[in-house]
Amino acid sequence: KQEVTQIPAALSVPEGENLVLNCSFTDSAIYNLQWFRQDPGKGLTSLLLIQSSQREQTSGRLNASLDKSSGRSTLYIAASQPGDSATYLCAAESYNTDKLIFGTGTRLQVFP
Amino acid sequence: GAVVSQHPSWVICKSGTSVKIECRSLDFQATTMFWYRQFPKQSLMLMATSNEGSKATYEQGVEKDKFLINHASLTLSTLTVTSAHPEDSSFYICSARWTSGSEETQYFGPGTRLLVL
């Protein structure tokens, strides 16, 4: 059974800092891994999708890496801004279950 | 990216009534759709996998008679919460699986907020 966890659960930082959000998964036979952003009371915004054959994806100030052997993915946010404040969710889809399982989320607050 | 819509975006109903939520893939066909539920300050929990033309597959602990799923076409899946009670109040999010060759991904709807009084 795939289990996905994220640390830290919450993070509060001043504007401008570079951030690292961590995601761990127990079943390394994953098909892909996605990072999402969720604003309070809103739906999901897909940020980055890493296919099994890839090691990282980049979009603007965001970079996500995938290490299947260690069961980890990292989301790197460069030069954080107050507008980055949201909950960040990672989700892994594994071959064994054919389902997308979500992590526990990291609630990020970037203050001016 | 592909677009998935949900209707309604929010609904308030009385306890004991049934509520139907629609999930549509607007620009692609999806043989598989998924229904998730999210309680406040918690992550998304998969409720069921909706397969076009066949019965849905429910996750452990999800009552199939309470949460009726119908995937009648390649672009539409519906979730009906029957005899809703206050504890069913939640944020319901659907997703549709897009497949192209060896790649696939899920596109998510904007969610439906249900409040049962």
Side-chain angles (χ1 to χ4, degrees), chain A residues 31-32 38 93 98-99 103, chain B residues 38 43 59 97 102 104:
Chain A
Y31 191 81
N32 60 49
Q38 187 176 32
E93 183 170 1
D98 200 29
K99 302 170 187 174
Chain B
Q38 185 179 35
S43 190
E59 295 300 298
R97 174 178 281 165
S102 62
E104 65 175 48

Side-chain angles (χ1 to χ4, degrees), chain B residues 2-24:
Chain B
V3 178
V4 175
S5 69
Q6 278 184 245
H7 178 81
S9 56
W10 60 268
V11 57
I12 302 173
C13 69
K14 293 182 179 180
S15 184
T17 61
S18 294
V19 176
K20 179 184 284 188
I21 303 171
E22 293 185 349
C23 177
R24 294 181 184 273

Side-chain angles (χ1 to χ4, degrees), chain A residues 1-5 23-33 52 66-73 91-99 101:
Chain A
K1 177 185 176 183
Q2 177 74 280
E3 294 183 3
V4 183
T5 56
C23 172
S24 300
F25 46 91
T26 55
D27 184 355
S28 60
I30 63 169
Y31 191 81
N32 60 49
L33 186 136
S52 175
L66 175 63
D67 184 346
K68 292 187 295 181
S69 62
S70 65
R72 293 179 182 178
S73 177
E93 183 170 1
S94 58
Y95 286 101
N96 294 328
T97 62
D98 200 29
K99 302 170 187 174
I101 304 300

Side-chain angles (χ1 to χ4, degrees), chain A residues 2-16:
Chain A
Q2 177 74 280
E3 294 183 3
V4 183
T5 56
Q6 292 182 245
I7 55 172
L11 187 61
S12 182
V13 299
E15 181 177 9

Side-chain angles (χ1 to χ4, degrees), chain B residues 42-116:
Chain B
Q42 295 187 22
S43 190
L44 277 74
M45 297 300 295
L46 180 65
M47 298 176 65
T49 301
S50 172
N51 304 295
E52 188 268 335
S54 64
K55 292 183 178 180
T57 304
Y58 291 81
E59 295 300 298
Q60 191 172 10
V62 178
E63 300 176 57
K64 61 179 66 176
D65 293 331
K66 182 169 184 62
F67 299 99
L68 301 179
I69 292 173
N70 188 334
H71 194 156
S73 77
L74 289 173
T75 59
L76 173 64
S77 176
T78 60
L79 169 68
T80 300
V81 184
T82 62
S83 186
H85 288 92
E87 58 265 30
D88 298 323
S89 299
S90 187
F91 193 46
Y92 292 86
I93 303 176
C94 74
S95 70
R97 174 178 281 165
W98 172 88
T99 303
S100 176
S102 62
E103 292 191 358
E104 65 175 48
T105 191
Q106 290 185 32
Y107 290 95
F108 285 79
T112 296
R113 193 164 299 281
L114 171 63
L115 176 60
V116 184

